[in-house]
Amino acid sequence: MPERRLHGCFGTVMGLALAVLTAMLLGRALSACDSGVNGAANGMFLIVLFIPSLWGLLTLGWVMVGVLLGRQALLHALVLTVVLPALCWCAVSFFWGGATQECPSGVPPWWPGFLPAPGF
């Protein structure tokens, strides 16, 4: 039982870390492209709504993968490696700003060219 509790705590901390990093990426993209309402409104949205919602979604994803795969450690780790970043990518894609005057293509100038820009 203690190993399950440790696994759950690690999942919660990992979900929070990924949610904060995803919010930082989205906030940086919104400010670089001058998208959204303004800096204060974008920041409040990210802190009050985006991070807790994404944290809950990531924790739910962690639990669901654990329920579905049980004690298959290697498969569990591989699926989590795919599922958690995919959830973060979908969250960023949903709120990614479109084309603006500062970013005509909708992609900030600092975005690496070898990564596809988020978006559906």
Side-chain angles (χ1 to χ4, degrees):
M1 190 64 136
E3 68 187 34
R4 295 190 84 182
R5 187 173 305 139
L6 180 63
H7 187 260
C9 290
F10 183 67
T12 304
V13 170
M14 181 65 72
L16 180 60
L18 281 173
V20 168
L21 289 173
T22 304
M24 290 173 60
L25 172 70
L26 183 59
R28 173 109 192 245
L30 289 175
S31 70
C33 291
D34 199 26
S35 298
V37 180
N38 59 30
N42 291 345
M44 286 302 291
F45 161 73
L46 291 172
I47 291 171
V48 174
L49 294 175
F50 186 78
I51 291 177
S53 300
L54 185 59
W55 186 18
L57 185 67
L58 290 170
T59 304
L60 181 64
W62 184 280
V63 169
M64 292 306 297
V65 167
V67 166
L68 292 174
L69 296 178
R71 295 194 178 266
Q72 300 172 0
L74 183 59
L75 184 60
H76 191 179
L78 290 174
V79 170
L80 283 175
T81 304
V82 171
V83 168
L84 296 182
L87 288 173
C88 292
W89 191 262
C90 289
V92 169
S93 295
F94 191 71
F95 293 107
W96 190 269
T100 60
Q101 192 171 14
E102 287 78 13
C103 303
S105 63
V107 180
W110 49 263
W111 190 262
F114 61 90
L115 286 176
F120 292 115

